[in-house]
Amino acid sequence: DTANHRVLGWRDARSLRDGQRADLVIGQPDLQTTVANYGAAAADNRPASAWNLNRPSGLALDSGGNLYVADTGNHRVLRFPRPFEQGPGPVRADLAIGQPGLAGSPVQGASAFLFQNPTGIAVHPERGDLLVADTLNHRVLYFPAPLSTGTSATRVFGQTGFTESARGLSSAAMSLPAGVAFDSEDHVYVADTGNSRVLVFGPLRELPSTGAAALASGAAPVGQPDFVTSLGATAINRLRNPTALWVNWTSGDIWVADTGNHRVMRFPP
């Protein structure tokens, strides 16, 4: 719930009814409060803590039921261990990726352990590895498990090094990536929003730590005729500013939120 600086949870999606009240709120003390980084004393530049949020925009779950949140305005990713089992009191994170600790004024930048407005995240369901779309640094970072607060990425996609942050258009560059996913064969998928395409990298074991080039689907990335075109379009094989994606681990189908065209597209493997 980005503009309300919170995440809402319902215990059983199968029994949801229209207008049903959430069972859980993360980032606020109650369902009525909507303050960024609630609980900090300063009116501006409020410091972050283990339980507050600032414009969260991405979610993922691991196989143990732990929730990962892209806390975009605080330039970090938080892990909340089994949030429905916490309490009483606010739901608290047990680690932060992208910051040196769980509390303090947020730091932003381009390095192996810093973000600038991360958005999409994905957790590998078997290994627990983490992918983060580091949107304003025009890159995706890969963090292998086990994860810990302040840990460094071991791979960067979209840049030639961990301190680079230039926007680009090529098989190895990105513009405002916002969605990420793994598949069962260890490929990495990226919704390269600013270039109106989806890039596919991998398998991971065959890739360098920096500057990896995307694979071609036929002769081009998903959504564009080649790696140097970024024109959004409405054709059946084109995209316009996609922001999220999901890969079916059984069939290999790619589902894409084609945001600029107000539709969802399915592409075969």
Side-chain angles (χ1 to χ4, degrees):
D1 188 8
T2 304
N4 286 326
H5 311 290
R6 65 184 185 179
V7 172
L8 298 178
W10 287 263
R11 289 186 180 276
D12 189 351
R14 298 165 298 181
S15 62
L16 277 179
R17 303 182 304 275
D18 288 346
Q20 183 171 329
R21 181 185 177 92
D23 300 306
L24 179 76
V25 60
I26 299 174
Q28 301 292 344
D30 51 49
L31 289 169
Q32 290 72 47
T33 306
T34 60
V35 177
N37 286 350
Y38 179 86
D44 298 306
N45 299 317
R46 294 182 174 92
S49 74
W51 69 275
N52 62 25
L53 298 171
N54 185 355
R55 293 184 289 113
S57 60
L59 301 174
L61 286 169
D62 68 16
S63 59
N66 303 306
L67 176 68
Y68 295 73
V69 178
D71 186 14
T72 304
N74 286 325
H75 312 291
R76 62 183 183 174
V77 173
L78 296 177
R79 183 180 70 185
F80 294 89
R82 303 183 68 85
F84 283 104
E85 297 178 8
Q86 290 196 40
V91 179
R92 294 181 180 273
D94 67 344
L95 68 79
I97 307 295
Q99 297 295 322
L102 280 164
S105 297
V107 180
Q108 59 182 303
S111 74
F113 55 88
L114 291 176
F115 301 130
Q116 189 175 8
N117 294 92
T119 53
I121 54 178
V123 178
H124 194 285
E126 296 173 350
R127 298 193 304 264
D129 303 341
L130 177 69
L131 282 175
V132 181
D134 186 13
T135 303
L136 291 190
N137 282 328
H138 310 290
R139 65 183 187 173
V140 169
L141 293 180
Y142 168 81
F143 299 86
L147 302 171
S148 60
T149 293
T151 192
S152 294
T154 60
R155 285 188 171 91
V156 58
F157 301 91
Q159 301 292 340
T160 57
F162 286 102
T163 59
E164 307 298 323
S165 60
R167 179 185 303 208
L169 176 61
S170 72
S171 63
M174 300 175 189
S175 174
L176 302 172
V180 288
F182 291 104
D183 73 6
S184 60
E185 297 181 350
D186 229 16
H187 294 97
V188 169
Y189 295 72
V190 179
D192 186 14
T193 306
N195 288 327
S196 296
R197 63 186 184 175
V198 170
L199 297 177
V200 185
F201 300 87
L204 273 171
R205 63 183 177 276
E206 300 176 4
L207 297 177
S209 60
T210 65
L215 302 170
S217 177
V222 178
Q224 293 294 338
D226 52 52
F227 283 107
V228 294
T229 302
S230 62
L231 182 64
T234 57
I236 194 67
N237 61 343
R238 301 293 292 275
L239 298 168
R240 189 189 306 274
N241 302 119
T243 56
L245 52 82
W246 178 79
V247 180
N248 187 314
W249 271 47
T250 302
S251 68
D253 292 345
I254 310 167
W255 292 85
V256 182
D258 188 15
T259 304
N261 285 326
H262 311 286
R263 64 187 184 182
V264 173
M265 302 284 282
R266 179 179 69 88
F267 295 89

